[in-house]
């Protein structure tokens, strides 16, 4: 038998992750053993193991109660909400009734504090085959105490696009076999070079993170660090979050910089000798979840922090609203876990909570501390987390807060650096004195871009006749704001109220018209084709209204909406502003629909709202027509830096700012921070143009040199099947091309690209040809992005792509036809194999017979790619397979068996054990057909399936026990495979 050999290969070669985690404490279990533990492929839990752990950790439970709990977990729906319930069981958040003590008690499923008390199992090739539906298989599965907790997809590093393919596979699991994801909390992607992690039920490239490895680390160390039992249990217990966004349940896992900061915060709060700390995590890096998780850990550990109080301080009504929308679920879970949560809506309510010695979480805006009594609470176990600390703590409000709670530990959080800018000095004085470099934890813009947490931002200047002159900008804005502590939009607006000349220039009717026309054309040519969206930031509300009217002349009215604050006097003083003002309900609808790529509006016109805290990954471009600087500018432009991957798997590469003011022309004046703090934050678009042009020239030299003596079709085929027969060469070309394509999509159309269009079209056609030639299916344009697809699709058929991408029939007649055609033998071999794959997809019953042929055909391809055989020799080997297929077809016709019956015969006919026992595979197959007639509903009916399986032992009764069992399993596999494809 080959079972032992296959297991050995899987353990040591196919999935080396299994070996690596075994070295840190996970027990290896073979697929067969795991399938026995879960009592068949329709189930996910190791029921007996889970029951045993329940009885071990909860001695007060009886056998029936433990079994009932397992039944309850197993019956949870395979949805994100069911998945959340599984995690709640893992975390000990569910209770069960104690018959002896007559009360409900928490149920422990996992011992987080003592990892060695748990069962850690890793296995591979985990197949799930629900009744009456197509099955799927996870490459590797991690199981703790009988509960699957992590699912892994292993990809070949030579194929390229591993991460995107894995995300698509996870989405497919959600649709086809959600049971596979019912319990697992984490989703990993690995290909021996890199290691990524994310969560199940949020299959989005944006939410999958690469495990950060220092340069001297390797894949093995990354895997072992993630799955080290103590740390892995902490991930399950603390770092996975469920929350509600736009009315839908979402799921996330904290990244390494968030975990690091939380641990530092908890340690600082437990340190009686240090009572201050400053956390700078750049915009878009998940600061809200960081501070709330830190609060949760402190409040849950009542012994360590003496039943303390955490006060979460926010400085704007809008931010409090953001917290309410994003993390209401998290706050509710805190309350469910005996953590009281209160919102201090008035100064009086805040004073009452302090006077009453409240324990738990208080949420209050900073201005609620105004005139709060000194020494309102002398306790030293009060922990104050101040969001966007750079804005207000250096003012009187910060003084009120510290006087009211003199012994509290205060942690400031900021999304922008507070280094050398004037407005940052106060934050350092208050929070940074107890740490050597001023920060308790720092996650810079550069780091977040390198990690893929945020994207780089590129900017371009609008035509000079639309921008403010440098002299006027200096005199009326930069010099005026030089002495001002401008840290939020309200303060910026007060500065701009005095910049009368600038406001008049920016809001002039004729200029608004010119800018609106420019924006409309730019959006139609550069943004909308990418299926992205945009902000237009105007100088004030009146100008927002003007832009809405002007844009409606150039774009459909439904494409844009204004979102700004209201004023009761608008009806009389600014009637157009009042007319366009959205109701509160409509504004919420617009906020939600803007985040969805397929819904209107496409452009939001804003001036004060949405410039902080609003997170819309589909937002790509910002048309900046309002003077800004320092924190306000950095926070505003950060709206476009969120990673995003669309439904086709196309990644957003950068965020774009089009500057109509001229503030970025004077970069050092606009962003007065240390250069290291803002490194990589924003760069001129010209740098990308130069990069693109250099890359195109290099790619032309590397890939487009051809034999001029033959025609265009032959040139293309010679390159495709000559230069790229080597998988490593393909991978390098794919990476080079995708870098060029990403730049082209961002920069086109541009006059500077005119001389490169022909070369880029040739590169794109070559990329599509190589993708098609070596893919499992046709499709002329492969995975080209939007503008590129539009550029070449009209001529794709004429450029030889059709012949390369065609799908032929895998039979002898087609082989003879191909032999008479021009073109390399390598291409003909690939086309024939594509036909074999299509035939298997189209006919599941025949696929069982064809699978053995495909495995051998794949080996022919592998030998071809490794240059072990020539194209001519490969054709000869494929010809032998075609003859074998033809003989199998004739044998099927002669046998009189159905397709399913013949598939059973074909599977069993190669087993020497049957021949040794004197059994005729055709006779066995006919009996199987008879049993299928007796149990026609076996796919949907579990009882019929059980009886069918028992009857299958009859025709192979002469075999020894183990071989008999193996034969029945083989027959069932054939039946299940054919049923799954029907």
């Amino acid at each position: 038998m080959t079972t032992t050999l296959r297991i050995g290969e899987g353990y040591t070669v196919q999935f080396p992750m299994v070996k690596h985690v075994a070295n840190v404490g996970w027990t290896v279990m073979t697929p067969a053993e795991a399938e026995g533990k879960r009592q068949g492929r329709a189930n996910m839990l190791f029921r007996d193991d889970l029951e045993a752990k329940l009885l071990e950790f909860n001695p007060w439970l009886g056998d029936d109660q433990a079994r009932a709990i397992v039944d309850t977990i197993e019956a949870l729906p395979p949805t994100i909400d069911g998945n959340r319930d599984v995690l709640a069981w893992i975390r000990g958040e569910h209770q069960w009734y104690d018959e002896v003590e007559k009360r409900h008690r928490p149920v422990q499923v996992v011992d987080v504090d003592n990892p060695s008390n748990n069962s850690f199992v890793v296995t591979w090739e985990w197949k799930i085959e629900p009744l009456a539906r197509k099955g799927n298989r996870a490459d590797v599965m991690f199981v703790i105490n009988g509960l699957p907790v992590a699912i892994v997809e292993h990809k070949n590093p030579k194929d390229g696009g591993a991460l995107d393919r894995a995300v698509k596979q996870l989405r497919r699991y959600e649709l086809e076999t959600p049971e596979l994801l019912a319990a697992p909390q984490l989703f990993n992607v690995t290909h021996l070079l890199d290691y990524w992690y994310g969560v199940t039920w949020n299959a989005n490239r944006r939410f999958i993170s690469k495990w950060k490895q220092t340069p001297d680390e390797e894949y093995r160390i990354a895997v072992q660090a993630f799955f080290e039992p103590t740390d892995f249990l902490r991930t399950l217990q603390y770092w996975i979050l469920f929350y509600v966004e736009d009315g839908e349940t979402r799921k996330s896992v904290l990244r390494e910089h968030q975990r690091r900061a939380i641990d530092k915060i908890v340690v600082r709060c437990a340190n009686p000798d240090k009572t201050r700390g400053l956390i700078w995590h750049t915009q878009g890096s998940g600061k809200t979840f960081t501070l709330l998780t830190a609060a949760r850990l402190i409040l849950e550990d009542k012994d360590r922090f003496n039943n303390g109080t955490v006060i979460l301080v926010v400085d704007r009504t809008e931010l409090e609203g953001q917290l309410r929308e994003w993390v209401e679920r998290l706050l509710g879970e805190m309350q469910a876990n005996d953590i009281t949560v209160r919102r201090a809506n008035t100064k009086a309510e805040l004073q009452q909570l302090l006077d009453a010695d409240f324990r738990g979480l208080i949420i209050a805006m900073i201005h609620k501390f105004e005139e709060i009594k000194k020494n309102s609470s002398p306790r030293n176990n009060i922990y104050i987390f101040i969001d966007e600390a750079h804005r207000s703590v250096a003012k009187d409000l910060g003084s009120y807060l510290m006087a009211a709670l003199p012994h509290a530990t205060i942690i400031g959080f900021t999304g922008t650096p507070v280094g050398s800018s004037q407005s940052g000095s106060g934050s350092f004085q208050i929070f940074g004195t107890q740490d050597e470099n001023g920060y308790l934890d720092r996650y810079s813009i550069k780091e977040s871009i390198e990690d893929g947490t945020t994207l780089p931002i590129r900017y371009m200047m609008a035509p000079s006749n639309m921008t403010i002159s440098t002299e006027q900008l200096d005199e009326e804005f930069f010099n005026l704001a030089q002495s001002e502590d401008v840290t939020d939009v309200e303060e910026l607006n007060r500065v701009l109220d005095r910049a009368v000349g600038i406001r008049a220039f920016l809001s002039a009717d004729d200029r608004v018209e010119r800018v609106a026309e420019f924006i409309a054309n730019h959006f139609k040519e550069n943004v909308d084709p990418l299926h992205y969206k945009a902000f237009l930031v105007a100088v004030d509300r009146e100008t927002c209204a003007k832009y809405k009217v002007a844009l409606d002349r150039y774009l459909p009215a439904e494409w844009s909406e204004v979102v700004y604050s209201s004023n009761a006097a608008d009806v009389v003083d600014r009637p157009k502003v009042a007319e366009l003002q959205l109701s509160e309900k409509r504004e919420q609808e617009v906020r939600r629909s803007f985040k969805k790529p397929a819904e209107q509006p496409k452009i939001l016109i804003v001036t004060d709202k949405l410039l902080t805290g609003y997170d819309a990954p589909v937002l790509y471009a910002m048309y900046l027509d309002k003077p800004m600087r320092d924190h306000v500018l950095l926070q505003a432009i950060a709206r476009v830096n969120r990673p995003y991957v669309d439904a086709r798997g196309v990644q957003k590469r950068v965020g774009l700012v089009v500057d109509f003011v001229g503030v970025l022309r004077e970069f050092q004046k606009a962003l007065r921070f240390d250069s290291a703090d803002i490194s990589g934050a924003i760069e001129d678009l010209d740098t990308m143009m130069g990069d693109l042009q250099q890359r195109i020239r290099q790619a032309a030299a590397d890939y487009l040199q051809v034999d001029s003596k033959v025609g265009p079709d032959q040139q293309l085929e010679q390159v495709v099947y000559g230069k790229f027969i080597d998988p490593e060469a393909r991978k390098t070309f794919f990476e080079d091309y995708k870098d060029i394509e990403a730049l082209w999509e961002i920069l086109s159309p541009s006059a500077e690209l005119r001389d490169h269009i022909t070369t880029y079209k040739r590169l794109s056609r070559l990329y599509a040809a190589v993708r098609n030639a070596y893919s499992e299916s046709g499709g002329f344009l492969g995975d080209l992005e939007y503008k590129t697809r539009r550029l070449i699709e009209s001529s794709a058929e004429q450029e030889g792509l059709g012949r390369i991408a065609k799908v032929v029939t895998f039979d002898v007649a087609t082989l003879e036809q191909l032999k008479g055609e021009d073109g390399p033998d390598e291409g003909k071999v690939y086309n024939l194999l594509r036909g074999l794959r299509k035939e298997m997809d189209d006919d599941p019953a025949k696929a069982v017979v064809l699978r053995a042929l495909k495995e051998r055909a794949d080996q022919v391809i592998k030998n071809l790619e490794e240059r072990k055989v020539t194209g001519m020799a490969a054709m000869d080997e494929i010809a032998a397979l075609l003859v074998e297929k033809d003989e199998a077809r004739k044998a099927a016709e002669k046998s009189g068996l159905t397709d399913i019956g013949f598939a059973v015969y074909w599977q069993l006919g190669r087993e020497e054990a049957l021949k040794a026992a004197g059994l005729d595979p055709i006779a066995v197959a006919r009996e199987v057909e008879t049993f299928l007639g007796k149990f026609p509903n076996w796919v949907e009916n579990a009882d019929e399936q059980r009886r069918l399986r028992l009857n299958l032992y009859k025709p192979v009764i002469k075999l020894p026990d183990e071989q008999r069992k193996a034969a029945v399993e083989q027959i069932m596999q054939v039946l299940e495979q054919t049923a799954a494809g029907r």
Side-chain angles (χ1 to χ4, degrees):
M1 297 288 287
T2 60
T3 305
T4 303
L5 177 60
R6 185 180 63 82
I7 290 173
E9 289 175 347
Y11 179 86
T12 60
V13 180
Q14 190 178 2
F15 306 124
M17 170 185 271
V18 174
K19 181 173 63 177
H20 296 330
V21 297
N23 291 331
V24 293
W26 291 77
T27 299
V28 176
M29 185 176 289
T30 67
E33 291 169 332
E35 194 170 309
K37 283 276 190 182
R38 56 193 176 104
Q39 301 172 16
R41 294 180 184 171
N43 307 310
M44 286 290 292
L45 307 185
F46 294 175
R47 287 186 58 98
D48 293 343
D49 290 12
L50 182 54
E51 285 183 29
K53 285 298 179 183
L54 285 168
L55 294 171
E56 177 186 340
F57 295 154
N58 309 276
W60 52 273
L61 287 174
D63 291 348
D64 290 343
Q65 291 174 303
R67 197 168 300 114
I69 291 173
V70 175
D71 289 341
T72 300
I73 295 174
E74 196 168 43
L76 290 172
T79 63
I80 188 170
D81 292 309
N83 187 254
R84 172 64 189 92
D85 272 341
V86 173
L87 185 61
W89 281 104
I90 291 172
R91 289 177 171 175
E93 296 172 1
H94 281 294
Q95 297 186 338
W96 206 261
Y97 190 69
D98 184 340
E99 298 287 355
V100 176
E101 296 191 7
K102 304 301 181 185
R103 65 184 178 94
H104 283 86
R105 299 179 61 175
V107 175
Q108 184 178 8
V109 177
V110 173
D111 190 343
V112 177
D113 297 327
N114 302 285
S116 61
N117 289 342
N118 302 287
S119 164
F120 294 89
V121 169
V122 61
T123 186
W124 63 99
E125 291 185 359
W126 180 290
K127 298 177 182 177
I128 181 75
E129 294 177 353
L131 295 177
R133 276 188 288 117
K134 179 181 178 181
N136 275 307
R137 183 191 69 187
D139 288 337
V140 179
M141 187 73 77
F142 290 81
V143 183
I144 296 179
N145 296 346
L147 281 170
V149 290
I151 180 174
V152 178
E153 284 300 316
H154 185 283
K155 298 300 179 186
N156 188 332
K158 295 182 179 181
D159 291 345
L163 200 52
D164 294 331
R165 288 184 289 116
V167 169
K168 290 178 182 177
Q169 194 150 333
L170 191 64
R171 288 180 181 148
R172 184 165 61 80
Y173 292 162
E174 288 182 11
L175 295 173
E176 296 175 354
T177 51
E179 296 86 351
L180 187 60
L181 306 177
Q185 300 296 319
L186 295 157
F187 175 61
N188 304 152
V189 184
T190 174
H191 63 21
L192 300 184
L193 300 178
D194 293 318
Y195 175 71
W196 294 275
Y197 66 100
V199 288
T200 52
W201 299 103
N202 197 355
N204 190 314
R205 172 66 180 84
R206 179 189 172 206
F207 295 105
I208 293 182
S209 307
K210 182 179 177 181
W211 187 261
K212 290 178 69 173
Q213 297 164 248
T214 57
D216 59 339
E217 281 185 331
E218 56 186 27
Y219 167 77
R220 172 182 60 83
I221 296 175
V223 169
Q224 291 177 344
F226 187 84
F227 284 103
E228 193 282 321
T230 299
D231 285 342
F232 187 77
L233 289 179
R234 290 193 80 213
T235 299
L236 293 176
Q237 189 71 19
Y238 303 122
W239 305 144
I240 296 173
L241 302 176
F242 287 79
Y243 57 98
V244 175
E245 182 182 11
D246 299 331
E248 297 180 5
T249 301
R250 303 286 175 86
K251 183 180 178 185
S252 183
V253 59
L254 299 186
R255 301 187 182 208
E256 289 169 88
H257 67 274
Q258 295 173 291
R259 305 178 190 201
R260 180 189 69 217
I262 291 167
D263 284 340
K264 288 182 179 180
I265 293 165
V266 173
V267 169
R268 177 59 50 91
C269 290
N271 185 347
D273 298 324
K274 292 189 176 183
T275 59
R276 297 290 185 270
L278 181 60
I279 306 290
W280 169 36
H281 281 194
T282 192
Q283 292 286 324
S285 58
K287 178 168 53 65
T288 300
F289 282 167
T290 299
L291 64 90
L292 276 163
T293 303
R296 177 179 183 174
L297 294 188
I298 289 169
L299 293 171
E300 284 182 346
D301 198 342
K302 296 187 178 183
D303 292 336
R304 184 180 185 185
F305 295 97
N306 195 25
N307 194 19
T309 301
V310 174
I311 302 177
L312 176 58
V313 178
V314 294
D315 71 337
R316 289 169 59 89
T317 304
E318 185 172 341
L319 284 179
E320 189 179 48
Q322 176 200 346
L323 286 176
R324 183 179 296 117
E325 180 181 7
W326 269 60
V327 296
E328 193 71 41
R329 176 99 170 230
L330 183 59
L331 298 179
E333 289 171 1
M334 288 186 184
Q335 291 180 303
N337 290 309
D338 197 26
I339 297 173
T340 308
V341 178
R342 292 285 185 272
R343 286 187 175 84
N345 296 311
T346 66
K347 297 174 185 177
E349 287 181 6
L350 177 58
Q351 188 69 67
Q352 288 171 3
L353 288 169
L354 297 177
D355 291 344
D357 196 31
F358 172 83
R359 309 298 176 105
L361 177 67
I362 299 173
I363 301 175
M365 286 182 286
I366 184 65
H367 69 263
K368 300 293 195 301
F369 281 89
E370 187 176 11
E371 298 181 359
I372 291 291
K373 293 185 301 185
K374 289 179 64 176
N375 298 315
S376 289
S377 177
R379 283 196 287 123
N380 64 358
N381 66 334
I382 295 178
Y383 311 98
I384 304 172
F385 293 173
I386 303 180
D387 194 25
E388 300 299 350
H390 62 273
R391 286 192 183 138
S392 52
V393 291
K395 303 178 183 179
D396 292 342
L397 294 175
S399 299
Y400 280 122
L401 182 153
M402 286 179 278
L405 305 165
H407 302 295
T409 296
I410 306 179
I411 308 293
F413 295 79
T414 179
T416 52
V418 296
S420 61
S421 73
Q422 181 184 13
S423 57
S425 59
S427 296
F428 264 133
Q429 292 169 9
I430 294 170
F431 300 105
T433 57
Q434 296 177 347
D435 292 289
E436 185 176 348
N437 64 357
Y439 294 108
L440 176 59
D441 194 74
R442 178 180 183 271
Y443 187 61
S444 69
I445 297 167
K446 183 178 180 180
E447 285 179 278
S448 71
I449 292 172
E450 289 174 349
D451 292 347
T453 305
T454 62
L455 298 177
I457 299 172
R458 299 289 183 263
Y459 73 90
M460 61 175 285
M461 300 303 302
S464 57
N465 65 336
M466 300 180 189
T467 60
I468 303 170
S469 70
T470 301
E471 295 75 15
Q472 185 180 16
L473 194 63
D474 283 345
E475 181 180 346
E476 293 195 37
F477 180 66
F478 285 129
N479 293 343
L480 185 63
Q482 184 70 30
S483 60
E484 301 288 337
D485 190 14
V486 181
T487 58
D488 64 16
V489 174
E490 285 81 2
E491 291 168 344
L492 174 67
N493 288 341
R494 287 195 288 272
V495 172
L496 291 175
D497 283 342
R498 288 177 279 162
V500 178
I502 285 179
R503 291 173 66 91
F505 175 83
L506 295 176
S507 61
D509 291 347
D510 60 338
R511 179 183 177 278
V512 166
E513 190 70 25
R514 291 199 312 275
V515 172
E517 183 179 9
F518 181 93
I519 289 174
N521 290 331
H522 184 275
F523 183 83
K524 286 187 292 185
E525 292 180 350
N526 294 273
V527 182
D528 193 49
L530 302 177
H531 298 193
Y532 295 148
K533 297 192 176 184
F535 269 15
L536 195 173
V537 185
V539 67
D540 53 31
R541 296 180 309 130
E542 292 91 335
T543 312
C544 284
K546 288 183 179 181
Y547 270 123
K548 170 60 179 168
V549 174
L551 277 180
D552 285 353
R553 285 193 278 271
Y554 300 103
L555 299 173
E558 64 272 15
W559 280 27
S560 64
E561 285 281 7
V562 290
V563 177
Y564 44 60
S565 55
S566 62
N567 188 317
D570 287 342
V571 175
V572 175
D573 298 338
R574 292 167 288 271
K576 196 62 183 180
V577 172
E579 178 188 333
L580 294 174
Q581 174 75 55
L582 302 181
S583 67
E584 184 175 345
K585 179 181 179 182
R586 175 58 184 159
E587 181 179 323
Q588 292 303 315
E589 291 173 353
V590 166
R591 286 173 177 241
R592 285 193 293 268
S593 58
F594 183 79
K595 296 180 181 182
K596 300 176 181 179
E599 296 186 11
Q600 306 289 5
K602 299 183 179 187
I603 301 172
L604 292 184
I605 307 169
V606 301
T607 185
D608 48 12
K609 288 190 172 185
L610 307 185
L611 294 179
T612 58
Y614 184 67
D615 187 5
V618 74
L619 174 59
Y620 165 71
M622 174 175 286
Y623 300 108
L624 183 63
D625 200 36
K626 179 174 186 171
M628 295 182 180
R629 69 180 307 162
D630 296 335
H631 302 284
V632 181
L633 176 59
L634 204 52
Q635 287 185 310
I637 64 177
R639 298 311 101 206
V640 302
N641 77 352
R642 303 307 195 261
Y644 171 70
V645 180
D646 68 15
R648 288 185 60 229
V650 176
Q651 296 183 45
K652 175 177 149 188
R653 305 289 179 147
V654 299
L656 176 65
V657 176
V658 183
D659 183 0
F660 289 88
V661 177
V663 291
L664 298 177
R665 200 165 45 209
E666 300 188 68
F667 194 82
Q668 297 303 319
K669 292 180 180 179
L671 292 171
R672 298 175 298 167
F673 301 107
D674 288 336
S675 58
D677 287 343
I678 58 172
S679 173
I682 183 166
E683 294 179 352
D684 195 313
L685 208 60
D686 289 343
T687 59
M688 295 184 71
M689 182 64 73
D691 186 23
L692 172 60
Q693 292 173 347
Q694 188 278 327
R695 286 174 181 270
I696 286 181
R697 285 192 291 268
Q698 186 62 51
D702 291 344
Y703 302 115
L704 297 182
Q705 304 304 311
V706 296
D707 181 0
S708 60
K709 297 178 182 178
V710 298
D713 286 4
Q714 288 75 22
Q715 288 178 357
L716 185 63
E717 288 190 330
Q718 283 180 4
V719 173
V720 169
Y721 295 114
K723 186 185 292 286
F724 297 113
I725 197 77
D726 178 7
E728 283 293 341
R730 294 201 295 269
K731 179 175 180 288
T732 301
F733 172 56
F734 291 162
E735 291 172 350
D736 289 347
Y737 174 80
K738 278 300 178 182
D739 288 340
I740 293 171
E741 183 188 46
L743 292 169
W744 187 278
E745 293 285 308
I746 293 166
L747 295 168
S748 67
S750 169
E752 294 181 67
L753 296 177
R754 183 184 182 281
D755 294 338
H756 301 281
I757 290 177
T758 299
T759 302
Y760 181 64
K761 288 177 72 172
R762 290 178 64 200
L763 282 170
S764 298
R765 291 173 188 137
L766 177 60
Y767 175 81
V770 176
R771 273 290 190 204
N772 278 287
Y774 298 99
S775 71
E776 295 194 4
S777 60
F780 291 142
L781 301 182
D783 58 353
L784 295 175
E785 296 189 19
Y786 300 109
K787 295 180 184 177
T788 303
R789 177 181 292 257
R790 194 170 59 187
L791 182 68
I792 72 166
E793 60 188 358
S794 60
S795 58
E797 178 75 48
Q798 287 76 37
E799 295 294 333
L801 299 187
R803 185 162 67 187
I804 288 175
K806 68 181 177 181
V807 179
V808 300
T809 305
F810 187 76
D811 59 25
V812 174
T814 302
L815 174 67
E816 294 303 319
Q817 177 186 335
L818 288 175
K819 283 182 177 179
E821 293 183 1
D822 293 333
D825 290 334
E826 290 86 353
K828 298 169 185 176
V829 170
Y830 276 97
N831 284 341
L832 284 165
L833 182 57
R834 193 179 294 123
L836 174 59
R837 288 169 179 150
K838 184 177 186 302
E839 189 172 347
M840 292 175 65
D841 290 340
D842 291 345
D843 194 331
K846 290 181 180 177
V848 177
V849 179
L850 299 177
R851 187 167 287 109
L853 295 179
K854 179 184 176 296
E855 289 173 357
R856 286 151 64 193
D858 286 340
Q859 185 60 50
V860 173
I861 292 292
K862 183 178 179 182
N863 292 339
L864 190 61
E865 291 177 342
E866 294 176 355
R867 308 289 187 177
K868 293 179 179 178
V869 297
T870 63
M872 184 179 296
M875 282 287 283
D876 291 340
E877 292 186 43
I878 291 292
L881 295 179
L882 289 169
V883 170
E884 188 173 337
K885 181 201 172 193
D886 192 51
E887 290 175 351
R889 181 184 57 80
K890 292 176 181 176
E893 294 172 355
K894 183 179 179 181
S895 70
L897 294 168
T898 63
D899 285 344
I900 294 178
F902 184 73
V904 171
Y905 156 71
W906 185 265
Q907 184 72 22
L908 297 178
R910 293 170 293 160
E911 296 294 330
E912 294 296 329
L914 262 72
K915 299 175 183 177
L919 294 175
D920 179 6
I922 287 185
V924 172
R926 287 203 174 103
E927 286 196 68
V928 171
E929 289 180 330
T930 301
F931 296 139
L932 287 174
K934 291 181 178 179
F935 305 107
N937 301 313
W938 71 272
V939 174
E940 297 84 8
N941 188 302
D943 182 60
E944 280 202 16
Q945 185 177 118
R946 180 183 58 80
R947 292 161 63 194
L948 171 62
R949 183 184 291 270
L950 289 173
N951 275 273
L952 292 179
Y953 280 88
K954 296 178 181 178
V956 293
I957 196 68
K958 293 182 180 180
L959 293 174
D961 287 348
E962 288 302 316
Q963 292 176 343
R964 186 188 315 132
K965 184 185 297 185
V968 170
E969 288 305 313
Q970 283 183 308
I971 296 170
M972 284 301 299
Q973 284 182 25
V974 171
L975 300 182
E976 289 165 353
Q977 287 165 0
T978 54
R982 285 196 299 221

